[in-house]
Amino acid sequence: MPSHVLLQVKNLKKYFPIQKGILRRVVGHVRAVDGVNFFIKEGETLSLVGESGCGKTTTGRTILRLIEPTEGEVLLRYREPTNGRQKYREINITTAPPALIKTLRRYMQVIYQDPYSSLNARMTVGSIIGEPLLVHGISKGEEREEQVRELLVAVGMNPDHISRYPHEFSGGQRQRIAIARALALKPHLVVADEPVSALDVSIRAQVLNLLKSLQGEFKLTYLFITHDLSVIRYISDRVAVMYLGKIVESASTEEVFNNPKHPYTEALISAIPVPDPDYKTRRILLQGDVPSPANPPAGCYFHPRCRYVKEVCKREAPAYLDLGGGHFVACHVADQLDLQPIRRR
């Protein structure tokens, strides 16, 4: 794995069995994640975007080994302090033994979507944020309390709130507490699973600004999972577009928005409101419903809803090709299309 890459995902799959009958016989599988490949450079933000049910959250949780993968590799390159010096190690998370997984938790953390259910209502803010420090034996007593207060200040909270309970805070404040908990162990990788989708619009902007400022301060790398393309243009360096368990396109953020190469990406971008009278959006409405991941169509998974479908799309699955400049796409006719869903009047 290249030295500048922090995380590399190779052919990651997660199939959930479909069971029927008294004997719970397996009659099929739901292909939630079906051969995903991507990488994240150290210090950057990769946004994973797609419709609800496409497998984004399952991908994030499988990377963290919160869900056991069916197949594939997840390689993490982390900095391990040794005798006061930083030593880099590379490990395959999918095959790591349980004892090592606990150690790896220090380098990988998650921010969940719902701040109302991700915090223990019976624990104080100090206990919630300080629990990782206690579990990993980093600090205790007054030292631990001081670190918790510093984390509260870092996320824009009053350190005197350390003895309060989650129900005493608003949704935006609870999400700040969840962010502080994720940062307690000073991780390298943070999986942010739709961290602003449950918040009011004005609060979303505050939390996004907070995440960007913390990224530089704590030297963080983000996997940002969302369905809101207007958010990812602000926060992400690169974008990976997911459809029915597969990555169909990935490139730099500006490249995806200005030069999309997959018809699904074109349709997603066309749905973004443009607050500028000099531009107009050519709205693209996809026909039909998303196919079932338990019974995906042959060939390209997107072909039943694609405006540009060819016969080859119905027979063969497209290869995930590099178009140059870090722009990857899985489409048989990508080189024949001029996809510009937003144009100047």
Side-chain angles (χ1 to χ4, degrees):
M1 189 167 66
S3 59
H4 63 281
V5 173
L6 180 77
L7 183 81
Q8 186 165 14
V9 178
K10 297 181 179 180
N11 195 35
L12 184 65
K13 297 180 180 180
K14 179 56 186 179
Y15 296 171
F16 294 98
I18 302 173
Q19 300 175 325
K20 286 188 177 180
I22 298 175
L23 300 178
R24 310 301 294 167
R25 183 168 56 92
V26 176
V27 296
H29 289 86
V30 175
R31 302 180 180 184
V33 181
D34 194 13
V36 164
N37 296 275
F38 64 83
F39 64 89
I40 310 177
K41 299 176 183 178
E42 189 170 6
E44 77 168 356
T45 299
L46 173 69
S47 288
L48 191 60
V49 64
E51 295 172 284
S52 296
C54 70
K56 307 185 300 294
T57 294
T58 303
T59 299
R61 296 189 178 190
T62 304
I63 288 172
L64 297 172
R65 277 283 293 272
L66 298 177
I67 300 175
E68 290 296 325
T70 301
E71 188 179 316
E73 293 183 335
V74 179
L75 304 177
L76 176 70
R77 184 174 179 268
Y78 62 94
R79 303 184 300 271
E80 185 180 59
T82 304
N83 297 327
R85 300 179 62 184
Q86 296 286 353
K87 180 181 179 181
Y88 282 89
R89 291 188 61 187
E90 181 180 315
I91 192 164
N92 186 351
I93 299 172
T94 56
T95 58
L100 183 55
I101 286 295
K102 180 181 177 181
T103 301
L104 292 177
R105 295 286 181 231
R106 292 187 59 175
Y107 308 105
M108 306 181 300
Q109 288 294 308
V110 60
I111 303 169
Y112 292 103
Q113 175 179 357
D114 185 5
Y116 294 91
S117 61
S118 65
L119 304 178
N120 191 330
R122 298 186 177 186
M123 296 175 66
T124 64
V125 169
S127 298
I128 290 171
I129 300 175
E131 187 175 26
L133 300 172
L134 185 64
V135 170
H136 288 268
I138 295 176
S139 62
K140 58 183 179 180
E142 293 184 0
E143 181 185 0
R144 175 168 161 251
E145 181 177 329
E146 183 59 29
Q147 290 179 344
V148 170
R149 290 179 180 274
E150 290 175 359
L151 287 166
L152 284 171
V153 173
V155 298
M157 296 283 290
N158 189 331
D160 293 335
H161 292 167
I162 192 170
S163 59
R164 293 189 179 184
Y165 290 85
H167 73 270
E168 300 179 65
F169 298 95
S170 66
Q173 289 174 319
R174 292 184 193 187
Q175 196 62 293
R176 288 174 185 267
I177 295 169
I179 292 171
R181 177 181 59 183
L183 298 181
L185 298 175
K186 298 182 179 179
H188 304 333
L189 174 69
V190 174
V191 176
D193 185 6
E194 307 227 26
V196 297
S197 63
L199 306 178
D200 294 337
V201 175
S202 59
I203 305 301
R204 289 185 188 184
Q206 295 176 18
V207 174
L208 288 173
N209 286 331
L210 174 64
L211 289 172
K212 284 180 70 71
S213 65
L214 291 174
Q215 184 171 25
E217 181 180 350
F218 286 84
K219 299 180 180 179
L220 301 173
T221 301
Y222 289 140
L223 173 60
F224 196 91
I225 298 171
T226 184
H227 63 272
D228 189 343
L229 270 76
S230 60
V231 169
I232 67 174
R233 190 163 196 174
Y234 173 70
I235 198 170
S236 61
D237 299 299
R238 291 188 302 115
V239 179
V241 182
M242 196 168 187
Y243 183 79
L244 208 64
K246 291 181 177 291
I247 301 291
V248 296
E249 184 170 7
S250 68
S252 67
T253 303
E254 289 306 311
E255 181 73 7
V256 166
F257 278 87
N258 297 329
N259 187 30
K261 289 298 183 181
H262 196 280
Y264 179 59
T265 309
E266 177 196 33
L268 290 178
I269 295 174
S270 76
I272 304 174
V274 181
D276 189 333
D278 292 332
Y279 286 81
K280 66 177 181 178
T281 301
R282 181 163 50 92
R283 184 72 172 92
I284 299 169
L285 298 177
L286 297 177
Q287 302 299 316
D289 297 324
V290 180
S292 169
N295 185 28
C300 174
Y301 284 2
F302 186 64
H303 87 257
R305 308 174 73 194
C306 183
R307 302 189 302 155
Y308 312 99
V309 61
K310 308 289 185 182
E311 283 301 317
V312 65
C313 305
K314 302 177 182 179
R315 299 192 310 267
E316 301 176 13
Y320 193 56
L321 301 177
D322 186 357
L323 302 181
H327 197 152
F328 296 82
V329 66
C331 180
H332 288 296
V333 294
D335 58 342
Q336 304 172 24
L337 305 179
D338 178 23
L339 306 183
Q340 293 183 354
I342 301 176
R343 299 178 185 271
R344 185 178 292 273
R345 288 187 185 276

